[in-house]
Amino acid sequence: MLIRRAPDITSSEITDEKLYLNRRSFLIGAAALALVPSEPVAAAPPAGQPLPAKRNPAFALEDPPTKLESVTTYNNFYEFGVNKEDPARLAHTLRPRPWTVEVGGHVARPKTYDIDELLRLFPLEERVYRLRCVEGWSMVIPWIGFPLAALIKRVEPTSQAKFVEFTTLLDPEQFPGQRKSLFNFSGLEWPYVEGLRLDEALHPLALLTVGLYGQVLPNQNGAPVRVVVPWKYGFKSAKSIVRIRFVSDRPRTAWEKAQPSEYGFYSNVNPAVDHPRWSQATERRIGEFRRRPTLPFNGYADQVAPLYTGMDLKKYY
Ligand SMILES: Nc1nc2c(c(=O)[nH]1)N[C@H]1C(S)=C(S)[C@@H](COP(=O)(O)O)O[C@H]1N2
Ligand SMILES: [Mo]
């Protein structure tokens, strides 16, 4: 079963030429689309439209942000295909409006929120976070969103709520990678499901994200709303979320189902616990040449280590 390829240097070297070609085919695709008479659908804020949000200085980083072009053309979004360039090339098929997020399970106030209602309810802020992919590369991204905790508090979890489950949209018409085909076999079961323990989800770093770089979130980055959990490997940060459910039992996540020995539920960034097929001790920041050491909890140990006191993080990887 093809789960994930081992990190290979060539696929993580984005040359400027490749970037340029990707960008160009994306633009040509967009231009061609503009010529097709469109059906009357609710006006979607197009990706790239400005999204004002004040930078929260508590989440500034010294590390320079990764180039916007890299953030939007080098993606993991298996619903569009398993190659890094597939999401940018194909993401125009995703329709981020109209969109609802069903919030339910063990909560006193379950509710299906329209995405625009979420945007009205919670003030947006910009936060610069490191994102570390399990494959051994990382980026620094100025995200725009609001704390996941704000939404959680609003729906009032009951005492039975121990975990939070996130589900990505299931729609093979919008996601070519969800169509059954020999050519896009990812090894994942759809829809993509991820999860956090309730206390992790309530941690102030966990961000419900609707934009980046001062703009509406591009489709390939998980429009219209995705979660960002910066102290965990990137795959915990589920994209294009349609459901958030509060449950008593640990959710079975898409990656855990595919390969439990490689992708544990916790998936905290941990240089001391290797992936079974490669070391996690170092990473390559996209845009840099030399690998740098990977930091425990992706550099957020001061803030999140207390969530795991008493846990053997080699066992709970
Ligand atoms: N639904 C969904 N969410 C997903 C993925 C995916 O394939 N499908 N890939 C994950 C992985 S492996 C990473 S590293 C991050 C990448 O986020 P980015 O493309 O915005 O940088 O998204 C995560 N969220
Ligand atoms: Mo990843």
Side-chain angles (χ1 to χ4, degrees):
M1 192 184 339
L2 167 66
I3 301 297
R4 244 183 224 271
R5 267 167 279 150
D8 85 74
I9 297 302
T10 51
S11 81
S12 55
E13 306 283 353
I14 327 177
T15 65
D16 283 343
E17 184 195 19
K18 196 163 167 215
L19 265 177
Y20 168 75
L21 290 174
N22 271 338
R23 179 94 188 122
R24 200 181 58 153
S25 58
F26 179 71
L27 290 174
I28 291 171
L33 209 72
L35 297 174
V36 180
S38 54
E39 289 172 38
V41 287
Q49 184 177 296
L51 186 65
K54 231 171 89 189
R55 174 165 293 199
N56 186 332
F59 305 96
L61 289 180
E62 305 255 297
D63 319 25
T66 305
K67 279 194 294 183
L68 173 63
E69 284 91 334
S70 305
V71 173
T72 57
T73 58
Y74 188 82
N75 300 101
N76 274 335
F77 200 166
Y78 279 29
E79 284 85 342
F80 290 113
V82 298
N83 302 304
K84 295 286 178 283
E85 60 276 12
D86 291 336
R89 194 164 50 86
L90 300 169
H92 59 86
T93 60
L94 174 64
R95 296 187 304 270
R97 292 292 189 290
W99 193 279
T100 56
V101 182
E102 182 196 333
V103 187
H106 295 304
V107 292
R109 300 173 65 200
K111 182 174 157 78
T112 298
Y113 289 90
D114 186 86
I115 182 68
D116 293 309
E117 187 181 357
L118 285 179
L119 287 168
R120 277 193 303 273
L121 279 172
F122 303 103
L124 299 180
E125 55 182 83
E126 182 183 72
R127 298 181 176 190
V128 185
Y129 281 166
R130 295 180 205 91
L131 178 127
R132 169 61 155 85
C133 179
V134 73
E135 292 161 356
W137 50 268
S138 61
M139 297 194 191
V140 175
I141 304 177
W143 300 108
I144 296 168
F146 57 89
L148 175 60
L151 175 62
I152 296 180
K153 283 171 189 156
R154 197 175 167 91
V155 296
E156 297 172 15
T158 68
S159 59
Q160 282 163 291
K162 305 286 186 229
F163 294 89
V164 187
E165 180 191 78
F166 305 90
T167 306
T168 295
L169 175 70
L170 175 66
D171 183 357
E173 291 203 353
Q174 297 186 59
F175 287 140
Q178 291 180 340
R179 295 175 205 151
K180 290 200 168 55
S181 153
L182 282 177
F183 301 104
N184 61 29
F185 187 68
S186 66
L188 294 182
E189 242 177 64
W190 308 114
Y192 193 98
V193 171
E194 258 307 335
L196 296 170
R197 224 169 49 193
L198 182 61
D199 59 338
E200 296 180 314
L202 283 167
H203 191 280
L205 278 170
L207 195 71
L208 267 180
T209 303
V210 295
L212 55 78
Y213 264 107
Q215 305 174 3
V216 170
L217 197 63
N219 288 359
Q220 59 267 39
N221 295 92
V225 61
R226 56 95 61 88
V227 70
V228 177
V229 194
W231 70 96
K232 293 176 180 280
Y233 291 118
F235 66 89
K236 297 298 286 183
S237 296
K239 295 178 169 179
S240 304
I241 294 171
V242 291
R243 194 170 74 160
I244 300 177
R245 208 157 59 103
F246 293 76
V247 295
S248 331
D249 297 320
R250 202 176 77 182
R252 289 200 62 215
T253 71
W255 284 105
E256 219 181 349
K257 278 191 233 171
Q259 199 58 277
S261 63
E262 302 196 355
Y263 309 104
F265 178 79
Y266 284 93
S267 297
N268 289 318
V269 174
N270 191 341
V273 176
D274 288 342
H275 185 280
R277 292 185 283 135
W278 58 81
S279 162
Q280 293 290 31
T282 64
E283 68 200 61
R284 202 177 83 92
R285 184 67 51 83
I286 296 299
E288 292 180 357
F289 181 68
R290 252 193 306 155
R291 295 183 74 84
R292 46 166 83 213
T294 284
L295 304 172
F297 299 107
N298 201 23
Y300 299 98
D302 289 351
Q303 290 139 86
V304 300
L307 291 170
Y308 308 103
T309 27
M311 277 177 74
D312 177 356
L313 295 178
K314 294 213 155 126
K315 183 166 170 220
Y316 298 102
Y317 54 85

